[in-house]
Amino acid sequence: MPLNTWQMQEQLHDAAMANTNIAVQVSRLPQAPMIQSQAILAMIQAMRDEFRSRDHNMLARFSNGRVALPQTPLRVLHDLRTNQPIANFPANLAEIQAENRRISFRELLEALGTISPPNAQWSIEEARQDFRVAIGCLPI
């Protein structure tokens, strides 16, 4: 179900608070050897990237929740692992409906951090519906 404005604001606030908490915790760390410091900074950057992806995706889902016509463009979500637009993201609802390969939906859902069932337990129609919901669109 698409997020309403209040839910979206609450999630953005939670993400901002988590980001602030990270900075506070890091400032309390004792001086660590250089290699540990670099590892910590890399982990912090990865967490910030994930927060940015999640923020972007929340807004994209909100936007996609308003899409009703098959040719209306969808807002592309970001891969949580890279904070980059998801490759081969469908341009509109018509492309989602035309896709007939579960592997495509599985790859798209994995980029969003979602685990999909094994192929034997997941019909193409279920894959389509799971993907629509994951990007903020209403199931059909």
Side-chain angles (χ1 to χ4, degrees):
M1 174 182 286
L3 297 173
N4 63 39
T5 303
W6 181 83
Q7 290 170 318
M8 185 175 68
Q9 288 175 337
E10 184 176 74
Q11 287 185 4
L12 283 171
H13 177 265
D14 290 348
M17 291 303 297
N19 202 10
T20 301
N21 261 347
I22 291 168
V24 169
Q25 294 302 321
V26 169
S27 71
R28 293 180 181 162
L29 290 174
Q31 290 298 325
M34 183 59 88
I35 195 154
Q36 288 178 338
S37 297
Q38 290 173 347
I40 291 168
L41 290 173
M43 289 184 341
I44 291 170
Q45 186 59 46
M47 288 190 293
R48 284 184 175 158
D49 286 347
E50 184 174 338
F51 284 136
R52 286 183 185 118
S53 290
R54 289 186 186 278
D55 288 348
H56 170 85
N57 289 352
M58 185 175 25
L59 294 171
R61 285 182 180 107
F62 187 71
S63 175
N64 290 342
R66 297 168 190 248
V67 172
L69 301 174
Q71 298 303 325
T72 302
L74 292 170
R75 189 157 171 200
V76 177
L77 276 71
H78 283 190
D79 188 318
L80 292 181
R81 301 165 293 196
T82 64
N83 192 28
Q84 296 298 313
I86 296 175
N88 303 316
F89 195 88
N92 53 46
L93 295 176
E95 284 189 16
I96 294 173
Q97 199 58 34
E99 182 58 61
N100 288 316
R101 298 176 308 132
R102 279 189 297 255
I103 188 70
S104 296
F105 290 116
R106 185 175 311 283
E107 290 169 354
L108 291 165
L109 288 169
E110 284 175 4
L112 294 171
T114 303
I115 299 171
S116 50
N119 282 349
Q121 301 170 3
W122 201 40
S123 72
I124 190 65
E125 193 51 44
E126 289 171 320
R128 246 186 230 112
Q129 294 302 330
D130 289 350
F131 181 70
R132 285 178 63 105
V133 170
I135 65 168
C137 296
L138 296 174
I140 55 171

